[in-house]
Structures are given as structure tokens and as C-alpha cells.
Amino acid sequence: ISAKWQKCLILHNKFSNQWDWLWAVEQLKENKVPGDQGLVLKSRAKHHAISAMLDKPFVFKDEPLVIQYEVNFQDGIDCGGAYIKLLSDTGSLNLEQFHDRTPYTIMFGPDKCGEDYKLHFIFRHKNPLNRDMEEKHAKRADVDLKKFYTDKKTHLYTLLLNPDNSYELFIDQSSVSRGNLLEDMVPPVNPPKEIDDPNDSKPDDWDERAKIPDPEAVKPDDWDEDAPAKIEDPDALKPEGWLDDESEFVPDPNAEKPEDWDEEMDGEWEAPQIPNPACETAPGCGVWKRPMINNPQYKGKWKAPLVDNPNYQGVWKPRKILNPDYFEDLQPFRMTPFKALGLELWSMTSDIYFDNFIITSHKEVADRWASDSWGLKKLVASANEPGIFAQLMMAAEERPWLWVIYILTVGLPVGLLVLFCWPKKSDDDYVYKKVDPPKADVEEEEEEEEEEEEEDKGAEATEAAPAAEEAEEDAEAGGDNVEGDDDEEEEEEEEDEEEGEDESKAPGRTLEDEVGVICSTGGNDKKLTTVQSGNFSSL
């Protein structure tokens, strides 16, 4: 804060002993920037005032006006304002006597009471005819302002006022309202050219009725205005079991008269009434009455139908006359010059922080000033903010119903993702495993082969008997040839038996030696792995 504000602080705190309010220069409570201090309103439920003179008055001519400063409601805000006043250069301005009636040219800044959140832009316009000063209020901001009062962050407020009478309001360098001094102020700067004649009055015979009852209509003869709207239902029957002799309520048999009951003062004591226990299982007690229904004959009071009024003259309005107070000021931007800035506030909340006031004619200068000051506070606050997960948890602690939204928001997409994207087994994804063939089949094959061998041997024996006889005869004729033939035949038989044994033993060896076959398919590639006697071969 500048040395000028320090001097103002000493001066105004000297008067605070008499006026019972206090200002201070100190750092922010949270998100402190090292070495940075601001002006802090310290007292609660007090009227505060502090001001500082500008180096030179601002005169409204051909250059824009830019007003900018920072506010932080460190403890929130119940009811109070944080607006500034640009004090008019009247020639008699005395800052030691600054109060709520000190003339000002512009009032700008946040204000709140109850649930009414405002961003003021008010300027005082001088009537060129009677020289009176009138307050002109800008329209309300186009955004919800509540968060700027409740988040306990430092916010930047900027007013841009142009010589073409246009204006724009910014919060944190974002536009929240814009308009024109000639069109968007209440009340308007320029009064209407014509006004209603205050001396004009409506004639006695002026007929403003657009519709009148039909004067030729006649009430029908069968119209009964005395028929009741409700009648007893003639078709109703008393429910079976209705207890006519029992009352709905009976005195409480367990009630006792209070000891301090004075019959002279309180009257005769009576036990309080309770529902009759006998009526709990019955459809009803007491005198039965037929229920009421709408009367089909009811028509109500007769009224003639409305018709167009032939004498209708329209809604009367007073005639227009020229406004004697009319004037036209096409340059409301040329306001009264100002030469001081002041804070004149009443607040139910303390510790309102102000900093980095700037008044200039160039928006670029104000933006650079903001980047070097408010921008640092924004960076520090952003760095100290909790993560998105922590913010969600904090919000759920204040509003437990948010847990339902969190569960639906997270659980529903995950469930759908699992449902639709979980991989399914295709028809081609199989795992094959070769198992040992049943031994019964092998044994049957071996038995069949043995039977065939036995049959072959029997047939050979049968064929061998006559052959033996012939051999003996031949032996007698020539023994050497017979022995040679017998040896050849024996060798052939032995070879046949060995081949049969090899054929019968080969399948058995393959089944005993093989451990398993695994076949897996993946995509377009197929791989067959055979595990055999500890050896691995890939096909």
C-alpha cells in the first residue's frame, strides 16, 4: 500500500477513538504474497471512512476513465459494502470531514445485504436546468455474483467509462455488464419530451367497459337460484356394523385429576377425550349421516351473458403536454471532476481487505498493473487450492446427496464398459489336448492279431502235413535239397513272426511314451506343440 494511504491511515485512526472504528495495514490471512500488504477494515458493525487525495484532479474530456482495485472478504460478508467513492472537486473538499454526505462523482464496487448481491456503478448527474445532482444507477450485472462474496479469494473490480458514453464492468478481468449512459441508467439521464397533463381528468360519461351484460337477456323460468350446491347422496347405505349407540370419543379412563386443580379457579375437572376403543374395528360410530354429493340441479345465481359494449370508448389516458423540465444532455460522460478517492462503509463483517487502487485513462496500464499485483495473488491462491478429488470430497461433506451423483457418474460408465467391452471367447479359441487312447482297444487289437496268427499257424500246419510226406519222399530221392528248402522256409517264418511282433508292439510304445499334445490358436497363427518323452517339437 502506498505511503499516501499510510498517512491517511494514521490520520483516520486518530479520529477512530472518537468515531469507534479502526483500519489496519496487514497481510492477507490466507494465500499470502511475501511482502505484500493491504488496507483492512477491522471493526464490525461500525461506520468506517478513509480517503486519499489524488496527485491531480481527473477531468472528463476526451480520454476514458479506468478505475480498478482489489477486494477480499476474508471472513465472508453478512451485510455491508466494499465500494469506493470518487470525491467531487467542489473546491471545498475537506478529507478530515469525509462522511456519507460528502459529494462524490462516481461510486463503484461490490455491495451485499441478505441474499441481494450487487455491483454498484452510480454516477451523479447535474441537471442543466435547476443544477440539482441526481444519482443514476447502472443496470444489474449479467452474471451471478454470489461466488465473489463467499469464496474468500481476492477479486479484481474494474470500471471502464468511455467518452462515447459506453461503460463496461469487469470482475477478475471478465466482463459482467456493459451499457450506455444514455440508455441503461435508472432513472434516465434525459427526461421525456412529453408528460401526462396533470390538469387533465377523465370525463364523467367516459365508458371504459369493453363488455357489458346483455340487456335483452332474461332468466329462464326453470332457473332455481335457491337450489343448494350439495345434497345428500340418496343411494348411500349405512355400512354394516355401524355402532349408532357409541360415540367417537370417550373420556380417558386412566386420566386423573391433577393435585393442583382448583375447581373454583379452573372449573369442574373433566377427563380428556380419547378415541373410542369400540370404534377401532367398526366402520364407524355415532349417528350415521349420508355423504354429500354435487347437486345436479344446482345452477347458482343467474347472470346475463356479456356482449360487446356499443358505447365503449377505450381506456382513458390523460393528454400529453410538453415537459417543462425537459432537457437533452448528449454527453453525460462529462461529469463533475473528482480529486480524491474514499472508502465510506458500514459493514457487519470485519477484515475486509483492499489493495492496489489505480485510476488511469488507459486500460492497458490497468491490465499490466493487475498482472504485477493481483496476478501474483491469483497464482498463490491457485497453488494452494486442493486437488479436484479433495474439492469433490469437501463438497460431499457439506452436501451428502452428492455421493449418489458421484456413484452414478463413475459406476454407470464402468459397468457399461465392462458389459460391452469384456472379451468373449470365439469359436476358434480352443485348447486341444491329446490323451492316451483307451487301452481296451489296444488289447482287443493285440488279441485279434494273436488269433489271426494262431489261425495262420493252424492252416500252415494243415498244409504242412502232406508237404512233409512229400518232403520225406523227396528226401529219399535227394536229402540235400530238402534240408535247404526247410531252412529257407524256417527263415521266412521267423521273419514274418518278427514283423508281426513289431507291428503289434509299435502302437503300444507310442501311447506309453507320449505325455500330451497342446494346440492353441490365436488370430490367424496356429501352433501345435507335442511333448514326448521329455523332448519338445513344434509343428
Side-chain angles (χ1 to χ4, degrees):
I1 190 169
S2 66
K4 182 178 293 186
W5 280 105
Q6 293 278 11
K7 295 178 181 178
C8 295
L9 184 65
I10 297 172
L11 175 64
H12 284 275
N13 281 344
K14 181 177 74 171
F15 290 101
S16 66
N17 296 329
Q18 177 182 357
W19 294 343
D20 197 22
W21 46 256
L22 183 65
W23 295 88
V25 174
E26 57 191 26
Q27 288 185 315
L28 285 167
K29 292 182 177 180
E30 300 177 0
N31 303 318
K32 300 177 182 179
V33 177
D36 186 68
Q37 293 181 319
L39 180 67
V40 181
L41 181 151
K42 298 298 294 183
S43 304
R44 182 179 180 275
K46 303 294 181 181
H47 203 140
H48 298 72
I50 191 170
S51 57
M53 196 72 71
L54 304 181
D55 293 336
K56 62 179 180 179
F58 184 91
V59 180
F60 294 87
K61 289 184 178 180
D62 299 327
E63 291 186 334
L65 170 65
V66 180
I67 307 168
Q68 185 172 275
Y69 69 107
E70 301 170 13
V71 176
N72 188 322
F73 297 105
Q74 300 184 91
D75 295 334
I77 182 71
D78 295 325
C79 186
Y83 44 81
I84 63 174
K85 288 182 177 181
L86 304 182
L87 305 182
S88 302
D89 185 8
T90 59
S92 59
L93 179 61
N94 183 4
L95 297 186
E96 295 184 7
Q97 301 298 324
F98 175 43
H99 50 75
D100 58 342
R101 292 182 298 278
T102 300
Y104 69 90
T105 300
I106 290 176
M107 188 174 90
F108 167 67
D111 188 16
K112 184 254 184 182
C113 196
E115 290 300 314
D116 188 13
Y117 301 89
K118 297 179 181 179
L119 178 58
H120 288 299
F121 167 41
I122 305 171
F123 78 94
R124 299 175 76 228
H125 179 262
K126 181 182 290 187
N127 188 314
L129 298 181
N130 56 23
R131 316 305 293 177
D132 291 340
M133 301 297 291
E134 298 179 351
E135 288 186 351
K136 309 297 181 181
H137 296 250
K139 63 181 181 179
R140 298 183 69 91
D142 301 327
V143 299
D144 185 9
L145 302 176
K146 183 176 181 179
K147 65 177 181 179
F148 302 111
Y149 295 79
T150 57
D151 60 5
K152 299 183 180 180
K153 295 181 180 180
T154 302
H155 294 289
L156 185 71
Y157 294 88
T158 308
L159 167 64
L160 171 61
L161 192 57
N162 296 307
D164 63 356
N165 299 319
S166 64
Y167 69 86
E168 192 166 7
L169 309 181
F170 300 85
I171 300 180
D172 296 344
Q173 298 183 319
S174 296
S175 178
V176 297
S177 180
R178 64 177 63 188
N180 190 284
L181 300 179
L182 290 171
E183 301 170 358
D184 300 299
M185 307 303 290
V186 180
V189 171
N190 296 317
K193 290 183 179 180
E194 295 182 338
I195 59 173
D196 295 336
D197 186 356
N199 300 320
D200 191 16
S201 59
K202 183 173 67 174
D204 295 337
D205 59 349
W206 189 277
D207 195 344
E208 292 183 325
R209 299 174 300 166
K211 297 285 186 178
I212 60 172
D214 186 357
E216 299 180 357
V218 179
K219 183 175 70 173
D221 296 336
D222 59 348
W223 192 284
D224 186 3
E225 293 184 346
D226 299 329
K230 298 283 186 178
I231 60 173
E232 293 182 351
D233 185 2
D235 299 328
L237 299 175
K238 182 171 68 174
E240 294 183 0
W242 189 277
L243 304 178
D244 297 282
D245 298 333
E246 296 286 347
S247 58
E248 294 186 27
F249 295 92
V250 295
D252 185 359
N254 299 324
E256 297 180 357
K257 183 172 69 173
E259 297 179 357
D260 58 349
W261 188 273
D262 188 350
E263 293 189 356
E264 294 182 357
M265 297 291 296
D266 303 324
E268 184 179 357
W269 181 82
E270 295 180 357
Q273 299 287 311
I274 62 172
N276 191 345
C279 301
E280 293 180 357
T281 57
C285 294
V287 179
W288 180 77
K289 296 180 180 179
R290 296 179 182 274
M292 304 298 289
I293 60 173
N294 293 329
N295 184 4
Q297 304 300 325
Y298 173 74
K299 296 182 179 180
K301 185 175 180 61
W302 181 84
K303 295 180 180 180
L306 297 178
V307 296
D308 292 337
N309 182 6
N311 299 321
Y312 176 64
Q313 296 175 272
V315 178
W316 182 85
K317 294 181 181 179
R319 63 174 175 266
K320 296 290 185 178
I321 62 172
L322 294 176
N323 185 2
D325 299 325
Y326 173 73
F327 64 85
E328 187 177 36
D329 181 3
L330 298 180
Q331 291 293 330
F333 171 77
R334 298 182 180 274
M335 307 174 191
T336 305
F338 62 87
K339 66 174 183 179
L341 186 150
L343 298 171
E344 183 267 311
L345 305 168
W346 184 90
S347 176
M348 288 296 296
T349 307
S350 61
D351 289 321
I352 302 177
Y353 177 95
F354 300 87
D355 201 2
N356 295 316
F357 298 85
I358 183 172
I359 299 173
T360 179
S361 295
H362 305 283
K363 183 68 165 55
E364 298 81 6
V365 174
D367 291 341
R368 290 198 301 269
W369 177 267
S371 64
D372 294 338
S373 55
W374 173 76
L376 296 178
K377 293 185 176 71
K378 183 180 179 182
L379 289 176
V380 172
S382 299
N384 294 335
E385 282 186 354
I388 184 63
F389 183 77
Q391 294 181 26
L392 293 175
M393 295 300 101
M394 292 169 59
E397 290 179 0
E398 297 178 0
R399 294 175 286 275
W401 53 267
L402 286 175
W403 286 110
V404 178
I405 298 178
Y406 294 166
I407 293 172
L408 293 177
T409 304
V410 177
L412 186 59
V414 172
L416 294 175
L417 185 64
V418 172
L419 179 63
F420 291 104
C421 299
W422 190 263
K424 297 181 180 179
K425 288 186 178 180
S426 63
D427 295 338
D428 296 335
D429 295 340
Y430 295 102
V431 176
Y432 296 96
K433 181 177 181 182
K434 183 176 179 180
V435 298
D436 295 340
K439 293 183 178 181
D441 295 342
V442 177
E443 293 176 355
E444 290 178 359
E445 292 178 359
E446 293 177 351
E447 291 176 358
E448 291 177 357
E449 291 178 356
E450 291 176 357
E451 290 177 357
E452 291 178 356
E453 291 178 356
E454 291 177 355
E455 291 177 357
D456 293 339
K457 290 179 179 180
E460 292 176 355
T462 306
E463 295 176 353
E469 295 177 356
E470 294 178 355
E472 291 177 357
E473 295 176 357
D474 294 336
E476 294 177 354
D480 296 335
N481 293 335
V482 172
E483 291 177 358
D485 293 338
D486 291 340
D487 293 337
E488 292 177 358
E489 290 178 357
E490 289 177 359
E491 291 175 358
E492 291 175 359
E493 290 177 358
E494 290 175 358
E495 290 177 359
D496 292 338
E497 289 176 359
E498 290 176 359
E499 291 176 0
E501 290 176 359
D502 294 338
E503 292 176 357
S504 62
K505 292 178 180 179
R509 183 181 65 254
T510 302
L511 294 174
E512 292 174 357
D513 294 341
E514 285 186 356
V515 177
V517 178
I518 300 174
C519 177
S520 63
T521 62
N524 295 325
D525 298 331
K526 297 184 179 180
K527 184 176 182 181
L528 177 64
T529 302
T530 304
V531 182
Q532 183 174 4
S533 300
N535 297 323
F536 297 84
S537 61
S538 299
L539 301 179

